[in-house]
Amino acid sequence: MLDLASPLALLLLPLPLLAARLLPIAGAGGAALQVPEQIGAALIAAGRGGAGGRRGWMRYLLPAMVWGLSVLALSGPRLPEPVSALRVSGRDLAIALDLSGSMVREDFHMDGASVTRLQAVVAAGAAFARRRAGDRVALIVFGSEAYYATPFTYDTEAVAQRIEEATIGISGRATNISDALGLALKRMAESQAATRVVILLSDGTNNAGATNPQGVAQLAARMGVRVHTIALGPRDDSTAKEGEQGVVDATTLRAIAEVSGGESFRVRSTEDLLAVTEALDRLEATESDGLAAEVYRELWIWPAALALLGCLALAWREGAP
């Protein structure tokens, strides 16, 4: 059904009639032409007859149409268009992605070829973000420092694209787990979401920042924020040899998850990583009734275009000999 964005604008329709009734008529100016009495009487009679006849009211028809079309355009005619309801979960979900130097190691396999840890995470993480329709999702990237690559948004496609654009080293080459988790909690402290979740992925040991990761996890627990952790890499602190490089601190990540009430996952291969994203989909399901959005197709352009054509016709008529 046709709707008007500003229906009160229709009150302007009788404005020209009110102006004609209430405003004084401007007196004619200029020199007078003296003509014989009989010719003057004939001219006056002809003028009165033209104004009262058909040609008299026809000259006002086009300006009236232009005014009516202009007011109609100003009122904003539009048609509502049906759209699918956005399934809103009432959840804020922050993805904290490790971009430290160790993510460049080629110890994962995808489609029969060796890939870096980052390439494996980008493929699985982008697909995971796209499946979060209904969640407000944010992306935090961290290395030596942590920052928001994408603020909380329902535009999961934008988050997925930022994951795909992730580059090692843009936030430093160390691993600052504490600051990444703290940054997520700082923004979530102002959130009104019923559920708040952080998914923290790291392939190393916390070696930057002055805060203990377990202490930040305790703060998360007091705030009611669940932290799911993913320890990424073939070797971890429980099995690695002393001094071995590229070892993930699975013990700390497991403690963060346990303290905050989340789940901890150990990923050693691409298959493990895909299984983890599916498990997180089950843990943090997005099903809900959803909220409908009002979307309109604007129609004001058509009466506005006709009014413009009417103005051009008036200009041509006035200029015609």
Side-chain angles (χ1 to χ4, degrees):
M1 178 182 291
L2 186 67
D3 184 24
L4 297 177
S6 303
L8 292 178
L10 297 179
L11 296 176
L12 296 174
L13 279 174
L15 186 60
L17 293 176
L18 293 175
R21 289 278 186 179
L22 302 178
L23 296 180
I25 298 176
L33 176 64
Q34 291 185 353
V35 296
E37 184 177 349
Q38 291 182 345
I39 295 176
L43 290 174
I44 293 174
R48 289 174 178 174
R54 183 177 179 183
R55 294 178 61 86
W57 68 264
M58 282 291 289
R59 64 177 300 196
Y60 296 108
L61 179 60
L62 186 55
M65 291 177 59
V66 169
W67 177 254
L69 289 169
S70 300
V71 172
L72 180 60
L74 186 62
S75 68
R78 57 188 183 177
L79 282 175
E81 293 188 339
V83 294
S84 300
L86 176 65
R87 304 188 70 84
V88 179
S89 67
R91 177 189 299 109
D92 279 357
L93 187 149
I95 302 173
L97 178 60
D98 187 347
L99 292 183
S100 60
S102 55
M103 290 288 285
V104 77
R105 293 179 179 272
E106 281 193 20
D107 48 13
F108 275 68
H109 292 81
M110 185 181 297
D111 298 328
S114 296
V115 296
T116 65
R117 297 178 181 181
L118 179 61
Q119 288 173 317
V121 168
V122 163
F128 173 75
R130 289 188 172 99
R131 295 196 297 270
R132 305 313 303 176
D135 289 348
R136 277 207 326 157
V137 184
L139 174 64
I140 298 170
V141 296
F142 67 96
S144 304
E145 307 289 339
Y147 68 90
Y148 271 94
T150 307
F152 281 103
T153 176
Y154 288 110
D155 188 356
T156 55
E157 178 61 30
V159 178
Q161 290 178 4
R162 293 306 298 268
I163 293 176
E164 292 169 340
E165 296 167 359
T167 303
I168 294 172
I170 59 174
S171 54
R173 304 187 71 85
T175 304
N176 194 342
I177 295 174
S178 301
D179 279 9
L181 185 54
L183 186 60
L185 297 180
K186 181 178 180 180
R187 189 67 59 87
M188 285 182 168
E190 303 172 358
S191 170
Q192 302 298 317
T195 305
R196 294 170 293 175
V197 178
V198 178
I199 297 176
L200 175 64
L201 187 147
S202 178
D203 74 331
T205 302
N206 187 73
N207 55 17
T211 310
N212 187 331
Q214 287 92 330
V216 184
Q218 292 173 359
L219 175 61
R222 291 194 296 269
M223 292 175 57
V225 178
R226 289 195 302 272
V227 182
H228 302 305
T229 60
I230 302 173
L232 179 72
R235 308 285 287 178
D236 58 46
D237 53 348
S238 63
T239 59
K241 298 177 182 178
E242 186 176 352
E244 186 175 349
Q245 299 296 314
V247 176
V248 60
D249 188 358
T251 302
T252 297
L253 294 176
R254 190 181 308 112
I256 292 172
E258 290 175 352
V259 169
S260 65
E263 296 288 335
S264 178
F265 300 93
R266 184 70 181 88
V267 173
R268 295 180 174 85
S269 64
T270 306
E271 291 74 17
D272 289 345
L273 185 58
L274 295 175
V276 166
T277 60
E278 293 173 0
L280 288 170
D281 281 336
R282 292 190 295 270
L283 280 172
E284 305 295 344
T286 57
E287 293 298 326
S288 67
D289 293 335
L291 296 175
E294 290 186 348
V295 178
Y296 295 92
R297 181 158 58 96
E298 302 293 341
L299 303 176
W300 64 267
I301 186 65
W302 301 109
L306 291 174
L308 177 61
L309 291 176
C311 289
L312 295 176
L314 281 171
W316 175 83
R317 189 180 71 179
E318 294 297 326

